[in-house]
Amino acid sequence: MLLSAPGRGPTLSFDFPLSRSAAQARLAAFLPHAGQDYAAHRNEDRGPGRHHGVSRLSAALRRRLISEAEVAAAVLDHHGRAAASKFLAELFWRTYWKGWLEQHPTVWRDWRAACARLTAQGMPAGYAAAVEGRTGIDAFDAWAAELRDTGYLHNWARMQFASIWIFTLGLPWELGAAFTYRHFVDADPASNTLSWRWVAGLHTRGKAYLADAERIRSRTGGRFNPRGLATKADVPRETCVPARAPIRAISAPEEGAGTLLLVTPEDLSLETELAPEHLAVRRVVACRQHCTAAADIAAVADGLQRASTHWQVPAMWADDVPSVLALAQAEGCAQIVTGYAPVGQVAESLAACRAQHAIRIAEHRRDWDARAWPHCDKGYFAFAQQIPAILASMHRELS
C-alpha cells in the first residue's frame, strides 16, 4: 500500500526533533538565525547534515510537539515582524496548506484513489529508476538517496525534486507524492499532497514550477550539474476543479465529563492547551494504528508520557480506534477527547468509528487554526494579507 507501507522511513536522527524538549532546544538554537540569516540563506541546500540555514523543526511542527503559535511568538519577540518576515511566511505556508485542504477534502481522497488506480495498472516506465536514484540526473538521484537515508529534504530541494519528477521524467505527480509521503520524517497529508499539486501547476491555474539547472548549481554550491532538464512545463490535466466545503464542525470537550484522552500524531502537546481541572481525564491512550513510521512512535510516546504526567493518570497503547472506544466504555467514560484531526488518515479512522458508537468523540481545535483557516480558501497570497492581523492577535494573547 503506497500510503502505509510497514516500517516506512529511515533510521531516526537527532537532526529532526521528535520530542517536545528536543523541539524547544532546536527552536532556542535556531532563534538567533530566524531573521536576516534565514532570509539570506533559506534557499541554500548544502547537503545531508548541513541544512543549517533552516530550522529543521518540521517533524515537530507536523505533530505539534511544538506549535506554530509558540514558534511565531518566540521569533517575533526575538526579531520583530519585519526582520523575521521570510521565516514567518514559510511558517504560515504550513497553516495555509492545512486550511486549504480542510476546505477541499476531496483532493486528499482523489489523490489516494489515483495512487490505488496507478498502482493497480503497474508502475510506469522510469518509476523504479526514479525512486532508486538511477535516472542519471545527478541532483535528482542524490536527493532520492538523501530522502531514503534521512527522511528529509530541504524545502527548496523538494520543489526541484517534484518538478524533475513531473516535467523531466514525465511521471505521475500522484506517485511522486506517495513516494515522498512514505519517506518524509515530517510527512503531512496537506503539505505533501498540495505542494506536489502546486509544483505540477494544478493549485494555481497557469503557475507551475520548472526546475532550472543553473539555479540548482548555484543554490547547491556547485555540487550538481544536472543535464537534460525540461524547459517547458507540460501541466497535467485535472478532471474537475476541487469543490469547496465548509470547515468540519466539531464536538467540543465537555468539562467535568469522564474522559479518555486520545493522543495522536496530529497534536502531541494538548497539555499546553487544556488545563487538568477542566477535564476529568481517567486515562490517556495512543493508537498503534496511527503510527505508521518509527518517527510517529517516538513522537507519540513522548506526547503520551507528558499527557500522563499532566493529568496524573495512567497511560497505555491500544491497537486501533475500536479498541480505544472499548476501553472508554470499560472505564465508564462519557467522552473521548483528542486534538483536532485535519484531513488525513487519523481523521478517517475517527470518522469510521464515530457513527457506530454511543461514546462521544470530542476534539480540541487550536485558536491558531480557528483564526487562520477561514482565510485559506483561495491562493496563498490572498491569505498572506491576513497574516499581520493573525499574528497581532495571537501575539497579544501569548505575551
Side-chain angles (χ1 to χ4, degrees), residues 113-130:
C115 287
R117 183 180 67 255
L118 289 164
T119 304
Q121 294 171 355
M123 293 303 183
Y127 175 84

PDB file of all heavy atoms in Angstrom, residues 113-130:
ATOM      1  N   ALA A 113      -7.165   7.708  -4.340  1.00  0.00           N
ATOM      2  CA  ALA A 113      -7.786   6.867  -5.360  1.00  0.00           C
ATOM      3  C   ALA A 113      -6.895   6.772  -6.592  1.00  0.00           C
ATOM      4  O   ALA A 113      -6.762   5.703  -7.206  1.00  0.00           O
ATOM      5  CB  ALA A 113      -9.160   7.429  -5.729  1.00  0.00           C
ATOM      6  N   ALA A 114      -6.273   7.887  -6.964  1.00  0.00           N
ATOM      7  CA  ALA A 114      -5.385   7.875  -8.124  1.00  0.00           C
ATOM      8  C   ALA A 114      -4.176   6.981  -7.872  1.00  0.00           C
ATOM      9  O   ALA A 114      -3.735   6.243  -8.772  1.00  0.00           O
ATOM     10  CB  ALA A 114      -4.940   9.297  -8.457  1.00  0.00           C
ATOM     11  N   CYS A 115      -3.621   7.031  -6.665  1.00  0.00           N
ATOM     12  CA  CYS A 115      -2.491   6.163  -6.329  1.00  0.00           C
ATOM     13  C   CYS A 115      -2.881   4.694  -6.444  1.00  0.00           C
ATOM     14  O   CYS A 115      -2.121   3.877  -6.984  1.00  0.00           O
ATOM     15  CB  CYS A 115      -1.998   6.461  -4.920  1.00  0.00           C
ATOM     16  SG  CYS A 115      -1.107   8.022  -4.765  1.00  0.00           S
ATOM     17  N   ALA A 116      -4.052   4.350  -5.931  1.00  0.00           N
ATOM     18  CA  ALA A 116      -4.511   2.964  -5.998  1.00  0.00           C
ATOM     19  C   ALA A 116      -4.700   2.527  -7.450  1.00  0.00           C
ATOM     20  O   ALA A 116      -4.317   1.412  -7.836  1.00  0.00           O
ATOM     21  CB  ALA A 116      -5.815   2.813  -5.219  1.00  0.00           C
ATOM     22  N   ARG A 117      -5.262   3.415  -8.260  1.00  0.00           N
ATOM     23  CA  ARG A 117      -5.503   3.083  -9.670  1.00  0.00           C
ATOM     24  C   ARG A 117      -4.189   2.912 -10.422  1.00  0.00           C
ATOM     25  O   ARG A 117      -4.007   1.932 -11.174  1.00  0.00           O
ATOM     26  CB  ARG A 117      -6.331   4.200 -10.319  1.00  0.00           C
ATOM     27  CG  ARG A 117      -6.706   3.920 -11.780  1.00  0.00           C
ATOM     28  CD  ARG A 117      -7.512   5.052 -12.369  1.00  0.00           C
ATOM     29  NE  ARG A 117      -6.754   6.295 -12.506  1.00  0.00           N
ATOM     30  CZ  ARG A 117      -6.889   7.347 -11.723  1.00  0.00           C
ATOM     31  NH1 ARG A 117      -7.753   7.339 -10.728  1.00  0.00           N
ATOM     32  NH2 ARG A 117      -6.159   8.435 -11.921  1.00  0.00           N
ATOM     33  N   LEU A 118      -3.258   3.836 -10.221  1.00  0.00           N
ATOM     34  CA  LEU A 118      -1.977   3.759 -10.917  1.00  0.00           C
ATOM     35  C   LEU A 118      -1.178   2.536 -10.484  1.00  0.00           C
ATOM     36  O   LEU A 118      -0.516   1.889 -11.297  1.00  0.00           O
ATOM     37  CB  LEU A 118      -1.172   5.032 -10.650  1.00  0.00           C
ATOM     38  CG  LEU A 118      -1.704   6.307 -11.321  1.00  0.00           C
ATOM     39  CD1 LEU A 118      -1.089   7.546 -10.685  1.00  0.00           C
ATOM     40  CD2 LEU A 118      -1.424   6.281 -12.819  1.00  0.00           C
ATOM     41  N   THR A 119      -1.251   2.205  -9.203  1.00  0.00           N
ATOM     42  CA  THR A 119      -0.541   1.029  -8.709  1.00  0.00           C
ATOM     43  C   THR A 119      -1.115  -0.250  -9.307  1.00  0.00           C
ATOM     44  O   THR A 119      -0.368  -1.169  -9.681  1.00  0.00           O
ATOM     45  CB  THR A 119      -0.613   0.975  -7.172  1.00  0.00           C
ATOM     46  OG1 THR A 119      -0.089   2.192  -6.633  1.00  0.00           O
ATOM     47  CG2 THR A 119       0.196  -0.190  -6.632  1.00  0.00           C
ATOM     48  N   ALA A 120      -2.437  -0.304  -9.389  1.00  0.00           N
ATOM     49  CA  ALA A 120      -3.090  -1.491  -9.957  1.00  0.00           C
ATOM     50  C   ALA A 120      -2.724  -1.678 -11.427  1.00  0.00           C
ATOM     51  O   ALA A 120      -2.650  -2.812 -11.919  1.00  0.00           O
ATOM     52  CB  ALA A 120      -4.603  -1.375  -9.794  1.00  0.00           C
ATOM     53  N   GLN A 121      -2.479  -0.580 -12.120  1.00  0.00           N
ATOM     54  CA  GLN A 121      -2.126  -0.656 -13.541  1.00  0.00           C
ATOM     55  C   GLN A 121      -0.686  -1.097 -13.755  1.00  0.00           C
ATOM     56  O   GLN A 121      -0.309  -1.495 -14.862  1.00  0.00           O
ATOM     57  CB  GLN A 121      -2.334   0.715 -14.203  1.00  0.00           C
ATOM     58  CG  GLN A 121      -3.793   1.160 -14.262  1.00  0.00           C
ATOM     59  CD  GLN A 121      -3.930   2.606 -14.717  1.00  0.00           C
ATOM     60  OE1 GLN A 121      -2.943   3.315 -14.901  1.00  0.00           O
ATOM     61  NE2 GLN A 121      -5.162   3.056 -14.882  1.00  0.00           N
ATOM     62  N   GLY A 122       0.121  -1.041 -12.704  1.00  0.00           N
ATOM     63  CA  GLY A 122       1.548  -1.333 -12.833  1.00  0.00           C
ATOM     64  C   GLY A 122       2.330  -0.041 -12.940  1.00  0.00           C
ATOM     65  O   GLY A 122       1.921   0.891 -13.635  1.00  0.00           O
ATOM     66  N   MET A 123       3.454   0.025 -12.259  1.00  0.00           N
ATOM     67  CA  MET A 123       4.227   1.263 -12.236  1.00  0.00           C
ATOM     68  C   MET A 123       4.735   1.623 -13.627  1.00  0.00           C
ATOM     69  O   MET A 123       5.169   0.756 -14.386  1.00  0.00           O
ATOM     70  CB  MET A 123       5.405   1.128 -11.268  1.00  0.00           C
ATOM     71  CG  MET A 123       4.972   1.009  -9.817  1.00  0.00           C
ATOM     72  SD  MET A 123       3.955   2.407  -9.323  1.00  0.00           S
ATOM     73  CE  MET A 123       3.702   2.036  -7.593  1.00  0.00           C
ATOM     74  N   PRO A 124       4.676   2.915 -13.964  1.00  0.00           N
ATOM     75  CA  PRO A 124       5.101   3.340 -15.302  1.00  0.00           C
ATOM     76  C   PRO A 124       6.602   3.189 -15.498  1.00  0.00           C
ATOM     77  O   PRO A 124       7.382   3.107 -14.541  1.00  0.00           O
ATOM     78  CB  PRO A 124       4.685   4.814 -15.343  1.00  0.00           C
ATOM     79  CG  PRO A 124       4.642   5.241 -13.920  1.00  0.00           C
ATOM     80  CD  PRO A 124       4.195   4.036 -13.136  1.00  0.00           C
ATOM     81  N   ALA A 125       7.010   3.160 -16.756  1.00  0.00           N
ATOM     82  CA  ALA A 125       8.431   3.094 -17.087  1.00  0.00           C
ATOM     83  C   ALA A 125       9.148   4.289 -16.473  1.00  0.00           C
ATOM     84  O   ALA A 125       8.673   5.422 -16.536  1.00  0.00           O
ATOM     85  CB  ALA A 125       8.612   3.094 -18.602  1.00  0.00           C
ATOM     86  N   GLY A 126      10.277   4.033 -15.880  1.00  0.00           N
ATOM     87  CA  GLY A 126      11.061   5.092 -15.258  1.00  0.00           C
ATOM     88  C   GLY A 126      10.800   5.258 -13.777  1.00  0.00           C
ATOM     89  O   GLY A 126      11.581   5.934 -13.090  1.00  0.00           O
ATOM     90  N   TYR A 127       9.728   4.653 -13.256  1.00  0.00           N
ATOM     91  CA  TYR A 127       9.411   4.825 -11.837  1.00  0.00           C
ATOM     92  C   TYR A 127      10.499   4.213 -10.953  1.00  0.00           C
ATOM     93  O   TYR A 127      10.974   4.852 -10.014  1.00  0.00           O
ATOM     94  CB  TYR A 127       8.055   4.192 -11.516  1.00  0.00           C
ATOM     95  CG  TYR A 127       7.715   4.222 -10.043  1.00  0.00           C
ATOM     96  CD1 TYR A 127       7.134   5.348  -9.473  1.00  0.00           C
ATOM     97  CD2 TYR A 127       7.992   3.128  -9.217  1.00  0.00           C
ATOM     98  CE1 TYR A 127       6.842   5.390  -8.118  1.00  0.00           C
ATOM     99  CE2 TYR A 127       7.703   3.163  -7.862  1.00  0.00           C
ATOM    100  CZ  TYR A 127       7.124   4.295  -7.318  1.00  0.00           C
ATOM    101  OH  TYR A 127       6.845   4.321  -5.968  1.00  0.00           O
ATOM    102  N   ALA A 128      10.889   2.980 -11.246  1.00  0.00           N
ATOM    103  CA  ALA A 128      11.897   2.305 -10.417  1.00  0.00           C
ATOM    104  C   ALA A 128      13.207   3.079 -10.417  1.00  0.00           C
ATOM    105  O   ALA A 128      13.849   3.253  -9.367  1.00  0.00           O
ATOM    106  CB  ALA A 128      12.120   0.873 -10.896  1.00  0.00           C
ATOM    107  N   ALA A 129      13.631   3.571 -11.587  1.00  0.00           N
ATOM    108  CA  ALA A 129      14.879   4.335 -11.654  1.00  0.00           C
ATOM    109  C   ALA A 129      14.777   5.612 -10.831  1.00  0.00           C
ATOM    110  O   ALA A 129      15.751   6.037 -10.195  1.00  0.00           O
ATOM    111  CB  ALA A 129      15.202   4.664 -13.107  1.00  0.00           C
ATOM    112  N   ALA A 130      13.599   6.221 -10.820  1.00  0.00           N
ATOM    113  CA  ALA A 130      13.424   7.458 -10.064  1.00  0.00           C
ATOM    114  C   ALA A 130      13.525   7.218  -8.570  1.00  0.00           C
ATOM    115  O   ALA A 130      14.270   7.911  -7.870  1.00  0.00           O
ATOM    116  CB  ALA A 130      12.079   8.097 -10.412  1.00  0.00           C
TER     117      ALA A 130
END
